[in-house]
Amino acid sequence: MTTTTPTTRPAIRFSERVTAMQESPTLAVLNRATARIAEGVDVVDFGAGEPDFGTPSSIAAAGKRAIDEGLTKYTNASGLKSLREAIARRYNRRYGTSLGAEHVIAGNGGKQELFNLALALVRPGDEVIIPSPYWVSFPDQVSFAGGTPVFAPADPAEGFRPRLQDIEAVATSRTRGVILNSPCNPTGAVIRESELARIVEWCVARDAFLVFDETYELFVYGGHEHASAMRWFEQYPETIAVVNSMSKTFAMTGWRLGYAVAHPDIVTALGKIQSHSTSNPSTITQMAALAALDGANEDVQRMYDAYRDRRAWLVPAINGIPGICCTDPDGAFYIFPDVSAYFGKRGITDSQSVASYLLDEARVAVVPGGAFGADDYIRISYATSMERIREGVARMDAALRKL
Ligand SMILES: Cc1ncc(COP(=O)(O)O)c(C=O)c1O
């Protein structure tokens, strides 16, 4: 039998699901910054979304110990029972809840649990309300699950804090849920407890779920307190799912461990998805996470103090640059200044062109606000040393004064 070589190559046919998924074009400037850093250019990197600190040594040692002790096999797909119990205990201590392992699932980052929650709870045609500016992955996760993200613009004059009135304004009969993130990436906004209480009650009354992402829970400054939806969890376990992560609190981004606390039936659903996709988060990481939850308080405090001091210096310094206007965010490790005063100058039209100008003219990398649904802004991360922050602000000041 003779075979003939086809003259055309077979086409790759992608699913609608993945074709609809966006790789944010506004993040292109960050990729360009990374390339310049790799070429050896001295770029001040304000783009990072992760702590500049190394993982505390006691946590890293627990990971090494796990390898030495041969704890390198699969665990339950939803995570070790001992880890899920430790996470439950941590919440019980803080909120007086009586959670057990059945309320907790551990996965490969908070991102995985947020993704799985969308897959588990969103049906085709459902609308999910997301306050904007928003963390980049929320809308795509909802769309991937077949739902429609609906944005509820937060008021900059209110420090971008989510409010019920903004959510109510975009609700329809198809509203299936709300995703809140506090402290917020990118704005640093921290929701007030009284407002969160109203949103919780509204979700319960509308039979909508509330996914509450508190990845940055620890980073709240200026005498404010983190308000967590966990306060209402035992009253409304069918409504509330809380997502949290080891990544930022314990400087463990690369270890990949996050978790969700939810109704046991929801946890079972998330576990099913996990069992057919990634299986368990790394066993070594789970052992390190156990050590982190049991201790590391001094290291966490040291990191917190550094972020607090950097923020205290950075906000007034940025506001000292003519044309930049920045509110004083209560949390996370980002500031989100308005740079629209530069639009119309030297070909600058949007947040992406401001970011490109800063990269080329000041050798400073920032993330354009367009990536978060707010094109008048840029995101500046202060998860970098005070020395680099001072250097970066001086460079920005010099470059922006030329406009
Ligand atoms: C708001 C928010 N949620 C969730 C995550 C996910 O973090 P991880 O998957 O590392 O736990 C991030 C990471 O940047 C984030 O900023």
Side-chain angles (χ1 to χ4, degrees), residues 256-310:
R256 310 307 301 132
L257 201 123
Y259 48 92
V261 178
H263 188 289
D265 291 351
I266 297 181
V267 167
T268 302
L270 301 177
K272 267 199 288 187
I273 299 172
Q274 217 154 277
S275 72
H276 291 298
S277 51
T278 57
S279 296
N280 61 280
S282 152
T283 306
I284 298 152
T285 294
Q286 292 188 67
M287 295 311 292
L290 259 173
L293 293 167
D294 276 348
N297 294 338
E298 277 171 29
D299 291 300
V300 170
Q301 184 66 44
R302 180 177 47 83
M303 295 189 271
Y304 172 87
D305 290 348
Y307 293 131
R308 182 201 55 208
D309 294 348
R310 295 168 186 178

Side-chain angles (χ1 to χ4, degrees), residues 49 109-111 114 135 181 185 213 215-216 245 247-248 256-257:
K111 187 180 270 183
L114 289 161
W135 180 53
N181 168 219
N185 174 9
D213 174 355
T215 291
Y216 295 87
S245 170
S247 289
K248 321 284 173 167
R256 310 307 301 132
L257 201 123

Side-chain angles (χ1 to χ4, degrees), residues 49-50 108-114 135-136 138 181-186 213-216 243-248 252-254 256-259 334 379:
E50 62 181 335
N108 295 275
K111 187 180 270 183
Q112 182 179 23
E113 296 316 327
L114 289 161
W135 180 53
V136 286
F138 293 141
N181 168 219
S182 178
C184 174
N185 174 9
D213 174 355
E214 57 179 4
T215 291
Y216 295 87
V243 174
N244 207 333
S245 170
M246 306 300 289
S247 289
K248 321 284 173 167
M252 290 180 72
T253 45
R256 310 307 301 132
L257 201 123
Y259 48 92
Y334 309 107
R379 189 191 76 177

Side-chain angles (χ1 to χ4, degrees), residues 129-370:
I129 298 177
I130 303 170
S132 115
Y134 48 79
W135 180 53
V136 286
S137 292
F138 293 141
D140 277 296
Q141 291 179 346
V142 168
S143 302
F144 193 86
T148 305
V150 173
F151 301 113
D155 186 352
E158 293 289 325
F160 292 110
R161 278 185 287 275
R163 291 179 307 179
L164 176 58
Q165 66 192 80
D166 304 323
I167 289 169
E168 249 178 340
V170 296
T172 72
S173 58
R174 289 183 299 282
T175 300
R176 169 73 183 105
V178 175
I179 302 177
L180 288 184
N181 168 219
S182 178
C184 174
N185 174 9
T187 63
V190 174
I191 196 167
R192 297 283 181 257
E193 184 164 321
S194 54
E195 200 62 31
L196 181 54
R198 275 194 279 276
I199 295 172
V200 167
E201 296 294 344
W202 184 85
C203 287
V204 172
R206 302 242 345 182
D207 196 17
F209 65 73
L210 175 63
V211 168
F212 189 82
D213 174 355
E214 57 179 4
T215 291
Y216 295 87
E217 60 161 342
L218 207 87
F219 306 115
V220 178
Y221 317 98
H224 294 290
E225 270 200 25
H226 170 61
S228 172
M230 187 51 70
R231 285 183 202 282
W232 296 274
F233 178 76
E234 292 206 317
Q235 213 176 336
Y236 305 121
E238 297 82 5
T239 300
I240 295 169
V242 174
V243 174
N244 207 333
S245 170
M246 306 300 289
S247 289
K248 321 284 173 167
T249 306
F250 296 100
M252 290 180 72
T253 45
W255 294 76
R256 310 307 301 132
L257 201 123
Y259 48 92
V261 178
H263 188 289
D265 291 351
I266 297 181
V267 167
T268 302
L270 301 177
K272 267 199 288 187
I273 299 172
Q274 217 154 277
S275 72
H276 291 298
S277 51
T278 57
S279 296
N280 61 280
S282 152
T283 306
I284 298 152
T285 294
Q286 292 188 67
M287 295 311 292
L290 259 173
L293 293 167
D294 276 348
N297 294 338
E298 277 171 29
D299 291 300
V300 170
Q301 184 66 44
R302 180 177 47 83
M303 295 189 271
Y304 172 87
D305 290 348
Y307 293 131
R308 182 201 55 208
D309 294 348
R310 295 168 186 178
R311 170 184 167 279
W313 185 86
L314 177 61
V315 175
I318 279 287
N319 276 319
I321 302 176
I324 289 202
C325 177
C326 184
T327 56
D328 205 355
D330 299 332
F333 42 64
Y334 309 107
I335 60 169
F336 202 57
D338 183 338
V339 291
S340 59
Y342 300 112
F343 294 1
K345 296 181 178 173
R346 295 242 312 243
I348 287 176
T349 52
D350 55 14
S351 61
Q352 190 167 5
S353 42
V354 171
S356 282
Y357 177 79
L358 287 173
L359 182 60
D360 296 334
E361 194 70 28
R363 287 172 292 120
V364 170
V366 300
V367 186

Side-chain angles (χ1 to χ4, degrees), residues 11-81:
I12 300 172
R13 282 187 299 277
F14 289 105
S15 67
E16 271 176 37
R17 192 179 303 120
V18 82
T19 309
M21 218 170 204
Q22 304 281 340
E23 191 157 9
S24 175
T26 44
L27 292 181
V29 64
L30 265 196
N31 295 339
R32 211 150 61 75
T34 310
R36 297 200 68 180
I37 292 168
E39 285 158 21
V41 179
D42 169 33
V43 173
V44 175
D45 189 4
F46 285 153
E50 62 181 335
D52 53 312
F53 300 102
T55 302
S57 54
S58 59
I59 301 175
K64 289 181 198 160
R65 231 177 7 255
I67 297 174
D68 292 341
E69 290 172 5
L71 299 174
T72 52
K73 306 274 174 74
Y74 291 133
T75 69
N76 183 302
S78 301
L80 287 162
K81 187 154 183 266

